[in-house]
Amino acid sequence: MIEILFFNVVAVILGVLRSRERLEQRRLQEAESLAAMGKAMSGVAHDMKTPLIAIDTMRMDRVLINLIMNAVKASPEGETVTVGTYRDGSPLVVDIADCGCGIPLDHRVEIFNPFFTTKKEGTGLRLPISKKIVQAHEGHIKIVDNPEKRVTFRLMIPIA
């Protein structure tokens, strides 16, 4: 009887410790993602040499956060996510490039459909929401192939 009680107490303690460890790992991953995103965003801020345009900044921030988070998650640990901006005639162009394994051709159309995801914990809403926001600004979002299977998401926002 004491052995069963002892076994149950040990099982509860191990369960609590495992739960704490998982929570700590999740917090660490979130912190690393935020740090990488902050580094990328600081690069955008320093690289921004384009005129100010009338946009819904909160929604466009959401687009950039969504795309950068996807790029960080797609890239192996220690790799760099590149964010660049330039002007190609009228549109402002923002490129967000990852170092991941690419997006299969058969998923390229579906990734912009709500709830389409290949991740266990994904909702499949980041890209569809981002696309709608960009379209509301009369812009476009497209996928550009890179060497070595990398992917760049290119935002094109018209400016005056």
Side-chain angles (χ1 to χ4, degrees), residues 82-118:
T82 306
V83 179
T85 60
Y86 62 94
R87 214 170 149 185
D88 187 13
S90 170
L92 170 66
V93 179
V94 180
D95 285 343
I96 301 167
D98 66 34
C99 292
C101 61
I103 299 172
L105 293 176
D106 56 329
H107 289 171
R108 300 249 171 140
V109 175
E110 296 205 38
I111 61 173
F112 292 107
N113 292 335
F115 306 110
F116 176 81
T117 183
T118 58

Side-chain angles (χ1 to χ4, degrees), residues 5-149:
L5 179 63
F6 179 72
F7 177 77
N8 287 334
V9 169
V10 169
V12 167
I13 291 171
L14 287 175
V16 168
L17 291 174
R18 284 185 187 137
S19 178
R20 284 185 183 171
E21 179 66 25
R22 277 188 236 123
L23 181 62
E24 188 62 32
Q25 286 177 350
R26 192 174 319 132
R27 285 181 182 161
L28 181 61
Q29 286 175 342
E30 288 174 5
E32 288 172 349
S33 293
L34 287 173
M37 188 171 62
K39 183 178 176 184
M41 292 303 287
S42 69
V44 169
H46 291 297
D47 193 35
M48 207 57 136
K49 297 175 186 161
T50 56
L52 295 176
I53 56 176
I55 60 172
D56 183 338
T57 57
M58 288 181 62
R59 288 199 171 123
M60 287 307 289
D61 282 350
R62 174 56 39 205
V63 170
L64 292 172
I65 290 168
N66 286 346
L67 293 175
I68 292 170
M69 287 297 293
N70 281 356
V72 168
K73 289 182 179 183
S75 298
E77 188 175 329
E79 291 291 337
T80 303
V81 171
T82 306
V83 179
T85 60
Y86 62 94
R87 214 170 149 185
D88 187 13
S90 170
L92 170 66
V93 179
V94 180
D95 285 343
I96 301 167
D98 66 34
C99 292
C101 61
I103 299 172
L105 293 176
D106 56 329
H107 289 171
R108 300 249 171 140
V109 175
E110 296 205 38
I111 61 173
F112 292 107
N113 292 335
F115 306 110
F116 176 81
T117 183
T118 58
K119 301 173 189 168
K120 283 189 236 178
E121 298 173 4
T123 61
L125 292 174
R126 281 188 184 154
L127 290 175
I129 289 171
S130 297
K131 183 176 181 180
K132 289 289 186 189
I133 293 170
V134 170
Q135 288 173 339
H137 286 82
E138 298 178 7
H140 303 284
I141 182 171
K142 69 178 189 175
I143 301 170
V144 179
D145 286 318
N146 291 335
E148 302 172 14
K149 295 187 177 183

